């Protein structure tokens, strides 16, 4: 359950043994040292036994952390801060967006990160912070800034991937040789909605971190959180534009489908019209009248009677169909 734990002093990693003893040594001291504990998919019993009781976390925050499936938020419980982030992962093979869940408990001398799903890895981030420990010198809030900055930067990368997919679909919709479907457009719209569900709820809580009543005491960190918020707003604004454009593209595609169906119906109607004339004439001849004058119509050629009734009817059918075809072709029905 605990995938990583360490004590940090002036940005440097120190060994972390028993959590209880480490926390006891930090309580009531003026040191800036803190403990960073990383957990992956913890169970209720293990979390409450190992972490919650040691840190005296608020029961409501603990319940949210165990149950999961929370909106992105930042809540304050006394001196502690509870954070829920929704990291995203873009699946290149299917162009899908997967949503993970990352929860943080932040106190004066500790930070606990709880990961759910594969979309929220922190191993590389921890290694990066340890190699460039400027953020670690700001304590737990510095780690929190690095984490939320990483999540928002990933939002921007995913937003670029969405824009690429949108450009391809937009081009395909207006390409007569493309076979884009409404399902493809709708699926991308669903991915944009997935993005908005993760990013938009974080807007207000993140703005609070550099505004009045912020739990962040360090003025420099407040400026850093404001920069992260600016990046988040850029991603949200761009995604809103993508959502509106996708709606327009979907409407344009449906309109094109309707136009194509009308064109197909006109072609079908034209061919039916041309087929109706010979059918009508053949139907009349198939009624077996006893007296049909044209059946006996003939002309004498070289002393022989040549009957021209049927050839004349066939020629009339051919000419009439040719006239209708030319008429439909000229009007754009064929």
């Amino acid at each position: 359950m605990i995938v990583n734990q360490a004590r940090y002093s002036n940005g440097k990693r120190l060994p972390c043994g028993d959590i209880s003893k480490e926390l006891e040594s930090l309580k009531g001291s003026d040191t800036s040292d803190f403990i960073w504990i990383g957990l992956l998919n913890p169970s209720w019993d293990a979390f409450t036994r190992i972490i919650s009781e040691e840190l005296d976390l608020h029961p409501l925050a603990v319940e949210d952390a165990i149950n999961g499936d929370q909106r992105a938020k930042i809540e304050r419980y006394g001196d502690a801060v509870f954070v829920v982030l929704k990291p995203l992962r873009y699946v290149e093979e299917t162009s899908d967006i997967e949503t993970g869940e990352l929860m943080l408990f932040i106190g004066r001398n500790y930070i606990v990160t709880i990961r759910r799903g594969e979309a929220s890895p922190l191993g590389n981030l921890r290694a990066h912070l340890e190699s460039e420990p400027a953020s670690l010198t700001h304590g737990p809030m510095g780690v929190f800034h690095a984490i939320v900055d990483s999540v928002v930067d990933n939002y921007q990368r995913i937003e670029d991937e969405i824009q690429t997919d949108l450009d391809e679909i937009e081009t395909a919709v207006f390409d007569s040789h493309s076979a884009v479907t409404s399902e493809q457009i709708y699926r991308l719209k669903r991915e944009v909605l997935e993005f908005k569900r993760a990013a938009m709820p974080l807007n207000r809580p993140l703005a609070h971190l550099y505004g009045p009543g912020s739990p962040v005491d360090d003025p420099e960190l407040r400026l850093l959180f404001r920069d992260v918020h600016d990046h988040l707003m850029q991603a949200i604004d761009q995604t809103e534009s993508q959502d509106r454009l996708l709606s327009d593209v979907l409407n344009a595609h449906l309109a094109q489908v309707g136009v194509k169906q009308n064109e197909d119906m006109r072609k079908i109607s034209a061919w039916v019209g041309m087929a109706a004339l010979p059918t009508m004439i053949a139907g009349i001849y198939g009624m077996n009248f006893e007296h049909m004058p044209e059946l006996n119509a003939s002309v004498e050629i070289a002393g022989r009677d040549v009957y021209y009734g049927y050839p004349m009817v066939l020629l009339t059918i051919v000419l009439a169909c040719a006239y209708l075809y030319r008429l439909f072709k000229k009007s754009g029905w064929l």
Side-chain angles (χ1 to χ4, degrees):
M1 183 191 67
I2 297 180
V3 294
N4 206 334
Q5 65 183 55
R7 177 170 176 166
Y8 294 90
S9 178
N10 296 321
K12 296 182 179 180
R13 178 174 180 140
L14 301 176
C16 179
D18 184 75
I19 295 176
S20 300
K21 294 180 179 180
E22 294 289 347
L23 289 173
E24 189 65 30
S25 68
L26 293 175
K27 286 180 181 179
S29 65
D30 294 331
T31 180
S32 61
D33 293 8
F34 68 94
I35 296 177
W36 180 0
I37 304 170
L39 300 93
L40 176 63
N41 299 324
S43 64
W44 175 277
D45 293 338
F47 180 76
T48 53
R49 185 179 68 255
I50 300 175
I51 304 298
S52 176
E53 295 177 0
E54 295 288 348
L55 301 179
D56 192 24
L57 302 177
H58 195 281
L60 291 178
V62 172
E63 183 179 355
D64 288 345
I66 295 299
N67 293 335
D69 197 22
Q70 305 293 312
R71 283 169 57 89
K73 59 184 178 180
I74 301 175
E75 297 177 336
R76 194 168 186 173
Y77 293 94
D79 295 332
V81 177
F82 175 59
V83 180
V84 178
L85 301 175
K86 309 293 282 188
L88 299 175
R89 185 168 75 98
Y90 183 81
V91 182
E92 189 71 34
E93 295 77 12
T94 60
S95 297
D96 290 336
I97 295 177
E98 293 182 358
T99 304
E101 195 165 41
L102 180 59
M103 302 182 184
L104 297 86
F105 289 93
I106 307 168
R108 189 183 69 83
N109 50 22
Y110 67 85
I111 178 169
V112 179
T113 56
I114 304 171
R115 296 192 293 116
R116 295 186 180 279
E118 299 299 324
S120 54
L122 293 177
N124 292 337
L125 177 62
R126 187 189 285 255
H128 173 72
L129 291 177
E130 291 174 356
S131 64
E132 298 180 7
S135 295
L136 293 174
T137 59
H138 291 289
M141 277 296 175
V143 176
F144 171 38
H145 165 262
I147 292 174
V148 72
D149 186 43
S150 174
V151 170
V152 172
D153 284 346
N154 194 48
Y155 285 171
Q156 292 184 304
R157 287 190 290 270
I158 291 177
E159 184 272 322
D160 291 339
E161 296 286 355
I162 293 175
Q163 185 63 48
T164 300
D165 294 340
L166 175 55
D167 292 340
E168 292 176 356
I169 285 182
E170 186 180 13
T171 301
V173 164
F174 297 100
D175 185 356
S176 58
H177 301 291
S178 176
V180 66
T181 63
S182 300
E183 180 184 358
Q184 292 174 290
I185 302 174
Y186 184 75
R187 281 191 61 186
L188 183 56
K189 193 170 178 63
R190 287 285 303 173
E191 300 310 315
V192 170
L193 178 61
E194 188 84 6
F195 185 99
K196 291 171 67 175
R197 285 176 176 172
M200 292 186 70
L202 190 59
N203 178 18
R204 279 191 175 183
L206 200 54
H208 178 65
L209 292 179
Y210 62 85
S214 169
V216 182
D217 297 326
D218 190 336
E220 183 181 350
L221 265 183
R222 289 193 181 192
L223 293 177
L224 294 175
F225 278 117
R226 186 175 68 181
D227 182 65
V228 174
H229 182 254
D230 288 341
H231 293 168
L232 176 67
M233 289 305 301
Q234 291 175 9
I236 290 175
D237 290 343
Q238 186 67 17
T239 306
E240 290 281 8
S241 300
Q242 292 169 344
D243 192 23
R244 290 192 295 269
L245 183 56
L246 271 172
S247 297
D248 294 339
V249 169
L250 181 59
N251 290 334
H253 176 68
L254 294 177
Q256 285 183 333
V257 171
V259 169
K260 190 175 185 306
Q261 288 177 340
N262 288 337
E263 291 176 351
D264 293 341
M265 287 303 299
R266 287 193 299 178
K267 290 179 181 180
I268 293 172
S269 299
W271 287 109
V272 169
M274 286 187 291
L277 181 63
T279 301
M280 179 187 68
I281 296 175
I284 294 175
Y285 275 84
M287 295 173 68
N288 297 322
F289 288 114
E290 185 175 350
H291 301 289
M292 297 187 72
E294 70 278 6
L295 295 180
N296 297 318
S298 63
V299 62
E300 186 176 344
I301 298 178
R304 296 179 58 185
D305 290 334
V306 176
Y307 295 92
Y308 60 85
Y310 278 114
M312 182 64 69
V313 170
L314 294 176
L315 180 61
T316 301
I317 291 175
V318 171
L319 292 176
C321 289
Y323 172 75
L324 289 176
Y325 179 83
R326 184 172 180 276
L327 189 64
F328 285 131
K329 193 75 173 177
K330 187 176 181 181
S331 64
W333 282 44
L334 289 174

